[in-house]
Every structure is written in structure tokens, then in C-alpha cells.
Amino acid sequence: MFVIFFFTHSTFDFSPSCQKSAGKSSKKIQRTFEQALSAQQGGNGERAIAAYRKVLALDPAHAGALSNLASLMRHAGDQDGALQVFERAARSKTAPAALFYNYGNLLHELNRPLDAEQAFRRALELDPRLYQAATHLARLLAGQKRADEAMALHRRALEIEPCNPVSLRGLGQLCYERGEPEEAERQYRAALEITPDHAETLNALGVVLKDRGQFDEALALWRRAIELAPRYAVAHNNLGVMLRLMRRPADALGPLRTAVKLDPGDSTAAGNLAHALLNLGQTTGAEEVARGVLARDAGNAEGHLMLGFSLAYQAKVEEAISEFLLSLKSAPGTATNICNALFASLYTDQRAPAAIAALHRELSVQIPPALPAYREWRCDSDPDRPLRIGYLSPDMRVHPVSTFFEPVLAHHDRERFDLHCYSTTEAPDEVTQRLRAHAAHWHECAGRPDKWIAERIHADGIHILVDLAGHTSGNRAAVLRAKPAPIQALYIGYPGTTGMPEVDYLIADGRVCPPEHDPLYTEKVARLAGSFWCFRPPDTAPEPAAAPLARNGYVTFGSFNAAQKISDSTVRLWAAVLAAVPRSRLLLKSLSFADEKLRTMFKRRFIEAGVAAERLDVLPPSDRKKFYAEYRHVDIALDPVPYNGGTTTCEALWMGVPVIALRGDLFRGRMAAAILEIVGLPEFVGGTAAEYVARAAALAGNAAWIGELHRELRGRVAQSNLCDGRRAARDLEDLYLEFWGNRPANRS
């Protein structure tokens, strides 16, 4: 999470010209006031306070002395005393505008927004050109989400004083929050022209440029802010988050640790540090950070959220769900907490399918919509015009979703379909550029508020909005809840129901979602004529290697699936396979296994299931090219339950490694079986755990068959429907036409 900055309150000190005293002691009063002001400006607060008290002894209604005395008391920490003095001064009929301005600042600090607003407005009544009062009133209203009023006041202040960096920064922040990064950038750059070394402005501009894809300049701005203000924790945090998003989590640790050290109570910075540790596979380290936050604040929503992540990565899924729900309890209506609880529920082997579906229905409706759901749309209903299809995703980059989305996007019929991609991708890469080239309209939406995205989709007249994320990381479920398009569907990114009544269709096929499972989905299941899957093979994968059985003399089973998929049911299933195949070994590889403690923990799980330690190899992660090459050590891949491998299954097959799968009871558990059937290998799919073990053992006992598969599988996959993007696009387009043709009468 990125942070912009917070304002501090300033004061307006009265000069001698601000107050004229009458009567025989006027010269003495004036002289004493000047002495007090001189002491104040010289930094001698105690002497100034004493002198102002002398002025007030001679003239109890001296507004300048009252205001400056109150300001000094406020800065000395005596807010109650300052308040009494301001209240006394405000009763004077001669109290000038600047007094009410200072009074308003104190009231704002005391969290009395209504009284502060009245004070600022009184200041502007007395002196409409007191731009400081307009600026601070704007800040007050901005904090109350009264953005339009705040923007008008900032603009009023800038008309009076164009070189007012505080209002320029305030406008920048308001524009950013409204989803107007171009205007926000303009305002921040104008502020920097006046105050080029203002660390908070440098930081804020960095956040805006990050959202606009100008990563190098954003990094430079945060580094400059840190150079100017080494103890500025927010800039350290933002630098670390950006490095993490740029897939440089190791580089991110330093700035994030510094941010946490500078501000130990900032749970956001601690959460970002935990996230970077998870990106490095340091799951137990992330858990320690999260538990540290909760030790200081047991109800901290961010702490429960990050603890949930770290437990999920350790395959402690039910514990993770509990933490996500505790996070939701601490921060009700927070979409992130809801979505993580739902996504985690797909990994558990402790809940029945109906219970998982019920949880989705219960929690999804608690996600606040970006705006009240649309009931009218701007779609062109001319049957001779192309249908406008919108794709919404945070994963238009190197990511499993793009692995299956790119072949379809590349083969869409541009004559019949007008394609809009709404990318909320935080760190675009080479895949982003390829996808962009295939879309007629590309909308950069990273950093944009949900409301802005929903309004943009609605304004674009999208006929069918297709979400590619569901409840996975970075999703925009709040946009879907606003119903910006008359027809909305889920595709590729989430192997289950959204639970959201605003989503009309779940795009699947009969293998992953057979008709008898329809009650488990809130959406109407739309089944593709062919396959749900369409795989783009990785460019960096080496040629398949010969099966290692020939050189080792024993069978090596393996899984490169994420550690969170290795449930207790999976451990028991794989232990049974090893028991059925003497001398065989099991090789596991996952990001989470960068953590030595976790490797030991997983080995212990298998040992407790009856597997000898010497039959286990648990490997840390590696870069993608080496990752694919390490399939040369695997004879047969084993698919986990209840959440199968999708991308991992395809990659194993592409590397010539056959996969054994168990057909499950929900979309999440039927993916690998569907893939195997598509490539013509139904004999490797078991309907029960016993069949799974039997199929694994049968293949393990046939060395010639294993060798043949390692030589021929890649060609077989390449020629199958699994890699037929043109076919997949046509099948999907047929569904879109059916969606639009069957739409209710009021959906156009």
C-alpha cells in the first residue's frame, strides 16, 4: 500500500500593525506587544508568553496578544489553556480574521471539525483575501470527504496567492483521490517549483507517477525525499513497495525495514514488509512480523490480514481463513479481507462444497459497491455494430491469467467484437505490451479508484464486462458490484463462484462445471463448446529432457505447485502413492520453500504420514528458466487436492512430464482432470483416491511408457485443443453472442 502524506497546522502570528490600542497607556501596550512579538520571533517562548500576559493585564481585549499567546500555548502543548484564551479573544467584537484562523487550527487539532469550520468561515467573512483560512478550511473539508467544496476553496486560495504550495498540494491529493492522476501530477509539479525540497510533495508526486507507469522517476523522487528527510518513514515505505511491485523484493526489504523501525506503530508499513517477505518465500518471517503487529494491537486489521497470508502460504488454510475473518471483524466491509477469506476457502479440504458456496454468498454481498448499481446503460443495441467487450484484470502481465488469456485475445474477431482492456496492473511488463497490441482500446486503470473505473466502463458503453480476477489479489469486486455493464461474467481468473448477484455468468466447460454442480454457483454457468483452457506455452522453457528413471533406477514423483495447495488430504494421497511404488521418491518445489523452517515443517508432515525422510526432496524456488529445467528431475507429476494445478499442470505437460490427477467436487478440483482429457490422457485421471494411487503406480511400473511420454508429450500438447487460440476465441465469442441475445429486455 502506498501512502501520500499528511498536512500539519500552521499559525498566523499577529504583527504590531494588527492591533491598535487606545487610551493613555497605548504606547506602553504597543511597546510591550512589540517586545513580546520580538521574543516570539526569536524563539524565546517563555519570555514572549510573559510579555503577552503583561499586555493583557493592561488591555484584556488585546486581540493580537490573545491570539499570539494562545498560539504559543498551543505549540507548548497546553491546548486547554490555548483554547480558553482563543475563546476569550473570539468574543471580542474587534477580533480580526487572523485570530479566527488560528482558533480554527486549534479546534481542528482538538478534533472539533464543526467548530473549526465555523472559525475558518468567520475568518473568511472578516477577510475574504486571507487565503490561509481558505486553504485550511479546504483541508478540513477534504478530511470529511467533501471533495468538491475543498477543491473550490483551494482554487479560491490560489486565485489570491498563486504561489501557495499548500493549496497546490491539497489540490493534487484531491485530484489523485478522484482518479485524475494527470491533473494531480500538474498540481504537485507546480508545488515543487515553489518548494523543490519539500519531501512530502516529492513523495506524493512519486505515488502519482507510479500509477502512471513512470517507475524510474517515482523511485528517484522517493530517494530524493529520503535524502532530504532521512526519518521520513512514508517515503521509505513507498520506495520499498515500488521495488516489490517491480519484482525486486530483496531490494525492497531495506527500505521497508527502515520504515518499520522509524514508525513501529505503522501497521501498513509492517504489512508491506510482511508482503515482501512472502514474495521471497520467507513465510515464517512474515508470520513473525504479523504477530509482532498483533502483540502491540490485538485487533489490528492489517496484522490479522498479513498473518492470514503467512499461514495460507504454509498450507494452514483454516487458520488463515480465521485470521482473514478477524481482520474483517476489525474493519467491516473491507473488500480485501472479504476476498482473501473467500479465495483461501478454495484451498481448504475441511469444508464441503456447499459450505464454500454459502460462504461466498454470505460475504460477497458485504463488499461495498463502487457506486450504486447502474440500472440503465449506454449500450448501442444496433445488431450490425460490433459488441463491445470489456476485460477487467490486475494480471495483464507475467501471470497465470495472461498465460490463458493472451491466446484468446490475440484471436478475437475484430469485425464482430470491439475489445476494451481495463488494466489495473501495478507493474506492466513485456506481456502487458503484447496484450496491449491485441486490444482495440487499452485503459490504464492502475491506481484509479473503483468509482472512476466503474464510471469509465459505463461511459464506454460496454455490452459485456468480463472479469478475470474474481476474489484473487488486486481484484476490483467493487466495480462489478456497481454493475457498469448490463451483462457481467467471470472468466479464467477464479475457479469458483464470485457469490456476487451482479455477476451473471461463470464461463466454464462441462468438465470443470458439470450441470449437476449448478447449485454451487450464484452465476449461471455458461459452458464453452470446447475447452475452458487455452494455454500459451512459455517462451523460456527448454526442450523436454529424458525421463530420469532411466539414469536413476527409481521413479521420481514431483509437484511444483504452490505450497498452500499441499493440504493434509494431499499429503495422505501422495504418501499412499509412495507406499504403492517402492524405492520411489518425491520432489517438491515452491516459492514458500525458500524458507528453511517451512521446508523442515513440510518434511515433518510427510514423515508423520509414513514417508521416510530420505525419500523426500524439498527444493527452494528458482528463476523461471531454471524452474522449467528442473522438470528433468521428475518422472511423473502428482496433482494436489482439493485445489488442483492449472498453469502448473500445463507447464508439466509442456516439459514432457505426465500428470496424475484426481477429479474433485468443485471447479477448483477438476482443472487438472479437464486438462488431461483435453490432451488425450484420460487414463491419468482418477475418480477416487484409490484410483489416483492405482494410476500413479501403473504408470510408474511402465518405464517404456514414461520414456515415450517424456519424448512426445510436448508435441501432443501443441497439437491439442489446449493450445488452439483460434478455436478458443470462436467458442468464447459464440457465448458472448448468446449472452447478448438472451439478455433481459431492460438490459440495453
Side-chain angles (χ1 to χ4, degrees):
M1 179 182 294
F2 288 87
V3 181
I4 295 187
F5 59 84
F6 301 95
F7 289 108
T8 57
H9 294 285
S10 62
T11 58
F12 185 94
D13 297 327
F14 282 81
S15 66
S17 61
C18 293
Q19 180 76 29
K20 298 296 183 181
S21 298
K24 59 183 179 180
S25 60
S26 61
K27 289 186 178 180
K28 182 178 180 181
I29 293 171
Q30 191 74 1
R31 185 169 57 253
T32 306
F33 182 78
E34 290 174 1
Q35 291 170 351
L37 186 63
S38 176
Q40 181 178 0
Q41 292 172 342
N44 193 332
E46 291 184 5
R47 182 178 174 185
I49 288 173
Y52 284 132
R53 292 192 186 282
K54 289 181 181 179
V55 172
L56 292 171
L58 296 169
D59 182 0
H62 194 290
L66 286 167
S67 183
N68 288 357
L69 173 61
S71 297
L72 284 166
M73 295 172 72
R74 169 188 162 216
H75 286 298
D78 184 6
Q79 290 184 321
D80 291 338
L83 183 62
Q84 292 176 9
V85 175
F86 270 130
E87 288 174 343
R88 175 181 163 190
R91 289 194 291 268
S92 171
K93 293 182 179 180
T94 61
L99 182 144
F100 285 97
Y101 164 70
N102 289 341
Y103 184 26
N105 282 331
L106 177 60
L107 291 167
H108 194 181
E109 284 182 358
L110 293 172
N111 196 28
R112 291 173 54 181
L114 295 178
D115 293 334
E117 180 178 348
Q118 289 181 355
F120 287 136
R121 291 196 185 280
R122 179 60 178 154
L124 289 170
E125 287 176 10
L126 293 169
D127 183 0
R129 295 192 62 78
L130 185 62
Y131 70 88
Q132 296 95 331
T135 294
H136 283 242
L137 177 56
R139 290 165 38 193
L140 173 69
L141 298 181
Q144 299 173 1
K145 306 301 180 185
R146 294 159 66 181
D148 291 341
E149 295 174 79
M151 293 186 83
L153 282 160
H154 277 311
R155 295 192 191 282
R156 173 178 170 180
L158 289 167
E159 287 177 2
I160 300 167
E161 176 49 77
C163 294
N164 172 8
V166 178
S167 272
L168 289 168
R169 292 196 295 269
L171 271 179
Q173 184 165 358
L174 287 165
C175 290
Y176 177 79
E177 291 171 353
R178 287 169 64 132
E180 300 172 3
E182 298 86 356
E183 182 61 18
E185 178 183 348
R186 192 177 74 83
Q187 299 296 339
Y188 285 137
R189 289 197 186 278
L192 283 176
E193 288 182 7
I194 303 165
T195 54
D197 292 337
H198 192 270
E200 289 184 336
T201 309
L202 291 163
N203 172 70
L205 179 58
V207 173
V208 173
L209 294 181
K210 181 273 302 181
D211 285 349
R212 303 200 67 193
Q214 300 176 41
F215 300 149
D216 290 340
E217 187 177 357
L219 291 173
L221 287 166
W222 288 319
R223 289 186 171 117
R224 175 60 177 157
I226 291 168
E227 181 183 344
L228 292 166
R231 299 190 61 78
Y232 186 21
V234 169
H236 287 282
N237 172 78
N238 289 345
L239 176 61
V241 173
M242 186 71 255
L243 291 169
R244 184 184 70 78
L245 290 175
M246 294 173 72
R247 301 183 186 89
R248 296 167 56 185
D251 294 334
L253 289 182
L256 291 172
R257 290 191 192 280
T258 301
V260 172
K261 183 178 180 181
L262 290 171
D263 190 356
D266 183 2
S267 60
T268 297
N272 288 330
L273 173 59
H275 214 141
L277 289 167
L278 290 175
N279 289 157
L280 290 165
Q282 299 296 332
T283 55
T284 57
E287 180 182 353
E288 289 174 7
V289 172
R291 291 195 185 279
V293 171
L294 293 172
R296 294 188 295 272
D297 178 5
N300 187 279
E302 185 73 24
H304 285 296
L305 180 68
M306 294 314 303
L307 181 56
F309 281 136
S310 63
L311 292 171
Y313 277 60
Q314 298 174 48
K316 299 175 181 178
V317 178
E318 283 296 329
E319 293 178 58
I321 295 171
S322 295
E323 291 300 325
F324 292 138
L325 293 176
L326 285 171
S327 184
L328 178 60
K329 183 177 179 181
S330 296
T334 305
T336 301
N337 303 334
I338 292 169
C339 292
N340 280 301
L342 295 177
F343 188 26
S345 74
L346 297 185
Y347 291 86
T348 183
D349 59 357
Q350 303 299 309
R351 301 183 187 218
I356 294 171
L359 185 68
H360 279 71
R361 286 193 293 269
E362 175 191 350
L363 294 184
S364 289
V365 295
Q366 297 180 33
I367 298 171
L371 41 76
Y374 286 103
R375 296 182 181 276
E376 295 181 353
W377 297 271
R378 302 177 181 178
C379 303
D380 185 346
S381 57
D382 183 348
D384 295 326
R385 299 287 296 275
L387 278 182
R388 282 189 288 275
I389 308 297
Y391 288 107
L392 174 64
S393 175
D395 301 319
M396 294 184 181
R397 56 184 174 88
V398 174
H399 189 276
V401 165
S402 291
T403 297
F404 298 101
F405 177 54
E406 185 176 355
V408 174
L409 186 65
H411 289 92
H412 262 312
D413 184 343
R414 270 61 175 177
E415 296 296 321
R416 296 193 300 162
F417 299 91
D418 186 20
L419 305 178
H420 292 248
C421 286
Y422 298 91
S423 172
T424 58
T425 303
E426 291 280 4
D429 54 26
E430 67 277 8
V431 172
T432 312
Q433 297 309 310
R434 291 206 307 261
L435 294 173
R436 186 169 192 155
H438 294 310
H441 309 277
W442 186 272
H443 307 281
E444 287 289 356
C445 300
R448 300 280 194 178
D450 292 329
K451 180 176 181 289
W452 185 95
I453 298 174
E455 290 173 340
R456 180 59 186 264
I457 292 169
H458 185 263
D460 288 339
I462 298 299
H463 295 92
I464 302 170
L465 178 63
V466 183
D467 177 56
L468 304 179
H471 295 295
T472 60
S473 178
N475 74 78
R476 295 302 185 106
V479 172
L480 297 175
R481 295 226 58 211
K483 195 73 172 178
I487 302 296
Q488 299 189 149
L490 173 66
Y491 179 50
I492 295 178
Y494 194 73
T497 182
T498 64
M500 290 185 280
E502 295 82 8
V503 180
D504 303 287
Y505 294 99
L506 169 63
I507 298 172
D509 63 32
R511 297 182 181 91
V512 293
C513 290
E516 60 269 24
H517 288 183
D518 282 1
L520 299 172
Y521 304 94
T522 57
E523 308 83 359
K524 180 178 180 180
V525 179
R527 295 177 178 86
L528 292 157
S531 164
F532 170 79
W533 300 100
C534 186
F535 177 62
R536 185 189 191 279
D539 296 329
T540 56
E543 288 296 314
L549 170 61
R551 61 179 182 271
N552 292 334
Y554 56 82
V555 170
T556 301
F557 295 102
S559 173
F560 291 2
N561 280 277
Q564 55 266 38
K565 292 186 177 181
I566 304 178
S567 64
D568 288 343
S569 297
T570 298
V571 172
R572 292 192 295 269
L573 186 63
W574 292 353
V577 169
L578 292 176
V581 183
R583 297 183 62 242
S584 62
R585 297 176 64 89
L586 177 63
L587 185 156
L588 303 177
K589 184 180 180 67
S590 170
L591 171 65
S592 296
F593 296 147
D595 190 322
E596 184 176 356
K597 292 180 181 178
L598 195 66
R599 294 200 298 272
T600 301
M601 187 187 309
F602 269 71
K603 285 181 179 179
R604 187 182 307 118
R605 291 176 67 196
F606 279 94
I607 290 169
E608 291 173 353
V611 178
E614 61 269 18
R615 298 178 72 184
L616 297 169
D617 291 299
V618 183
L619 303 181
S622 55
D623 64 63
R624 295 304 290 176
K625 189 169 184 177
K626 186 176 180 182
F627 170 87
Y628 294 123
E630 287 187 352
Y631 273 109
R632 70 186 185 277
H633 300 303
V634 179
D635 291 295
I636 303 169
L638 297 178
D639 192 54
V641 294
Y643 196 139
N644 294 167
T647 309
T648 309
T649 297
C650 293
E651 290 173 341
L653 295 172
W654 189 251
M655 293 309 302
V657 179
V659 180
I660 303 297
L662 176 62
R663 183 180 286 106
D665 51 13
L666 272 177
F667 192 150
R668 60 165 186 179
R670 303 174 68 88
M671 298 185 292
I675 292 167
L676 288 167
E677 289 173 353
I678 294 163
V679 299
L681 297 171
E683 61 270 33
F684 295 153
V685 179
T688 65
E691 288 181 1
Y692 180 104
V693 173
R695 281 160 173 68
L699 179 57
N702 192 332
W705 195 10
I706 293 173
E708 178 184 333
L709 288 167
H710 276 252
R711 290 190 300 273
E712 298 180 1
L713 255 183
R714 177 172 290 189
R716 190 168 182 171
V717 169
Q719 295 301 314
S720 74
N721 281 343
L722 185 64
C723 294
D724 189 348
R726 188 176 303 278
R727 183 270 316 160
R730 295 295 87 77
D731 287 349
L732 186 61
E733 289 166 357
D734 288 344
L735 278 188
Y736 291 160
L737 293 171
E738 183 180 323
F739 293 170
W740 191 246
N742 293 338
R743 71 191 184 280
N746 62 345
R747 299 267 194 104
S748 58

